[in-house]
Amino acid sequence: MSILEILNKQALSKEEIKRLLAAEGDDKKLLFDKALQTKLAHLDNHVHLRGLIEYSNICTKSCLYCGVRSKNLKVSRYHLSDEEVIECAKLAHKLGYGSVALQSGERSDKAFTEKITHLVKEIKKIDNGSLGITLSLGEQSEEVYREWFEAGAHRYLLRIEASNEELYYKIHPRDEKHDFKKRLDCIDSLLKVGFQTGSGVMIGLPFQTLDDLASDLLFFKQKDVAMVGMGPFIPHPDTPLWQYKDQIPSAAERMDLTLKMIATLRLMMPEINMVAATATQTLDPQGREKAILAGANVMMPNLTPNAFRENYLIYPDKANVKDKPSQTQSKIDESLAAIGHKVLYNAWGDSMAFTKKQK
Ligand code: 5AD
């Protein structure tokens, strides 16, 4: 079957997905063109912003890829004060972002979960609940997810990281704290509680095959998630996976594969929200724009106070650590205009896929 025939199909098989992920030259261009057309037809040229608040790098987990894993003793640990979080949220509101995303290292103790409930309620008070709230706070019990949902959060990101269980355990310790089944159960709980649920994976991991990546895309489709965040894996020197840094695809290859993953998923799930991950920008200064052109429609500009950002290096050379929010803003507007896109200001920017399902 030709690439054109595959691109015009309604549902893609795993083999067809693998063909798209392996596309090069003219075939790759056809894939990107089709993905962009599909996005524009369903979601217009709008980009939604979430002001990212990196609440804390204190983490109970030790994921083998992550720079802020608990076993990395080089990191100085912090959490923002309530006032700092609210200031970030007010700034997001002032800048017209419409939404914030609260992200943190993973903790599930009561002091933490209650703090988050409090912060969600406080953010909701800003201008009578005008800000949308996405949480990205890892694995929790269904009760905790429900408590946060009832407090006013309505979107939740929990990447599966790798949908192949064997690969999952090559990038996580094999212990009760890093349980693949629990991760799956949490995604199901989030869907059940009613969150617009997002998931995602890293691309270019050691041991990862094209077959794994195709399965990841089929996993998102099967779970019918509302949002997806996928970005290139970037080895961090203070993590166990650093030892494989010479055995993974080159930075350019990881970037290219990320774009093909985004484009292919856009064909499979035309109306979901897909983020142009900051990690794409780390590998390529134009990375986020390329991701938008490949089918992404969300960006998450960092609003964390600059002093804390260098302690939240989940991977090295993270982009924008030194940028100020106002600079970030004009840069985003300009770079999106240059590729025929624009920010939809003062809107929550919910997933169209989710909104339609609710009706
Ligand atoms: N490279 C790229 N992405 C990473 N993440 C964590 N560590 C890395 C890394 N070294 C991603 C994970 C996590 C998200 C917050 O950041 O997918 O879910």
Side-chain angles (χ1 to χ4, degrees):
M1 199 183 293
S2 75
I3 284 282
L4 267 181
E5 282 170 299
I6 297 177
L7 291 174
N8 285 318
K9 286 192 62 169
Q10 288 297 325
L12 297 174
S13 69
K14 191 193 248 187
E15 285 314 308
E16 288 158 353
I17 294 172
K18 282 163 73 174
R19 280 276 304 279
L20 295 180
L21 297 180
E24 291 299 340
D26 289 345
D27 285 355
K28 185 167 80 177
K29 192 172 175 322
L30 287 171
L31 165 64
F32 289 156
D33 286 351
K34 180 82 183 184
L36 178 59
Q37 278 169 27
T38 303
K39 183 186 70 166
L40 294 174
H42 288 267
L43 306 176
D44 209 341
N45 63 348
H46 297 161
V47 173
H48 304 298
L49 301 183
R50 313 342 185 165
L52 177 63
I53 308 172
E54 293 160 334
Y55 169 62
S56 170
N57 63 1
I58 301 172
C59 192
T60 53
K61 291 203 158 177
S62 259
C63 306
L64 304 180
Y65 44 83
C66 183
V68 303
R69 64 199 302 267
S70 60
K71 292 210 170 105
N72 183 4
L73 302 178
K74 291 189 190 168
V75 176
S76 69
R77 304 286 164 172
Y78 76 90
H79 66 80
L80 301 182
S81 67
D82 293 9
E83 294 70 33
E84 283 163 334
V85 171
I86 302 308
E87 278 314 304
C88 288
K90 284 187 176 157
L91 179 59
H93 182 248
K94 190 175 124 208
L95 293 169
Y97 284 7
S99 281
V100 291
L102 194 62
Q103 193 177 78
S104 174
E106 192 170 308
R107 281 174 58 185
S108 52
D109 55 285
K110 214 157 174 62
F112 178 79
T113 62
E114 287 179 351
K115 170 64 80 186
I116 297 297
T117 304
H118 173 72
L119 289 171
V120 168
K121 287 182 179 162
E122 289 301 307
I123 295 171
K124 272 288 153 193
K125 285 183 190 160
I126 298 169
D127 195 21
N128 292 318
S130 70
L131 281 172
I133 303 181
T134 305
L135 300 179
S136 178
L137 307 167
E139 295 173 6
Q140 305 290 343
S141 68
E142 192 171 312
E143 295 69 50
V144 167
Y145 286 146
R146 187 163 289 115
E147 181 174 315
W148 291 345
F149 185 74
E150 283 167 3
H154 66 132
R155 293 188 286 245
Y156 203 105
L157 304 168
L158 182 63
R159 288 188 178 183
I160 185 74
E161 313 295 1
S163 66
N164 171 347
E165 181 166 358
E166 227 171 281
L167 178 58
Y168 189 89
Y169 284 120
K170 287 189 170 139
I171 62 169
H172 297 95
R174 197 182 266 276
D175 61 25
E176 67 290 349
K177 266 201 200 138
H178 302 81
D179 183 335
F180 180 70
K181 296 263 168 355
K182 168 121 194 272
R183 179 66 63 111
L184 288 176
D185 287 347
C186 282
I187 293 175
D188 288 340
S189 300
L190 288 164
L191 289 162
K192 186 169 153 205
V193 166
F195 277 104
Q196 278 176 62
T197 303
S199 196
V201 292
M202 286 172 287
I203 296 160
L205 288 163
F207 313 111
Q208 190 181 47
T209 63
L210 226 47
D211 198 79
D212 291 326
L213 291 169
S215 303
D216 291 337
L217 298 186
L218 287 166
F219 171 80
F220 303 141
K221 176 95 185 157
Q222 184 234 328
K223 289 282 164 198
D224 199 16
V225 294
M227 325 183 285
V228 169
M230 301 184 282
F233 166 61
I234 302 173
H236 190 297
D238 303 318
T239 62
L241 289 192
W242 178 252
Q243 63 184 301
Y244 302 110
K245 67 177 187 331
D246 299 324
Q247 293 167 42
I248 58 172
S250 69
E253 287 164 341
R254 276 175 280 144
M255 185 64 204
D256 195 52
L257 201 47
T258 300
L259 297 176
K260 288 192 270 191
M261 284 284 280
I262 292 173
T264 304
L265 189 61
R266 179 54 75 200
L267 303 181
M268 295 167 68
M269 304 182 82
E271 299 192 329
I272 60 168
N273 276 350
M274 239 193 294
V275 69
T278 309
T280 58
Q281 203 185 1
T282 298
L283 291 192
D284 177 340
Q286 292 298 310
R288 286 197 304 188
E289 290 73 16
K290 289 181 182 170
I292 294 287
L293 286 174
N297 68 325
V298 173
M299 282 188 186
M300 296 172 64
N302 199 342
L303 293 183
T304 312
N306 289 75
F308 296 102
R309 289 189 199 180
E310 52 197 74
N311 293 322
Y312 204 87
L313 294 182
I314 42 191
Y315 48 82
D317 304 318
K318 206 163 131 215
N320 297 327
V321 166
K322 295 203 165 67
D323 289 5
K324 293 266 175 282
S326 53
Q327 293 169 324
T328 308
Q329 199 44 42
S330 47
K331 263 207 291 198
I332 289 178
D333 282 329
E334 281 167 30
S335 66
L336 286 180
I339 56 168
H341 281 68
K342 64 175 186 201
V343 171
L344 197 69
Y345 282 103
N346 300 305
W348 284 9
D350 283 339
S351 153
M352 179 84 83
F354 181 87
T355 308
K356 283 198 178 161
K357 219 165 47 170
Q358 296 300 95
K359 283 182 184 155

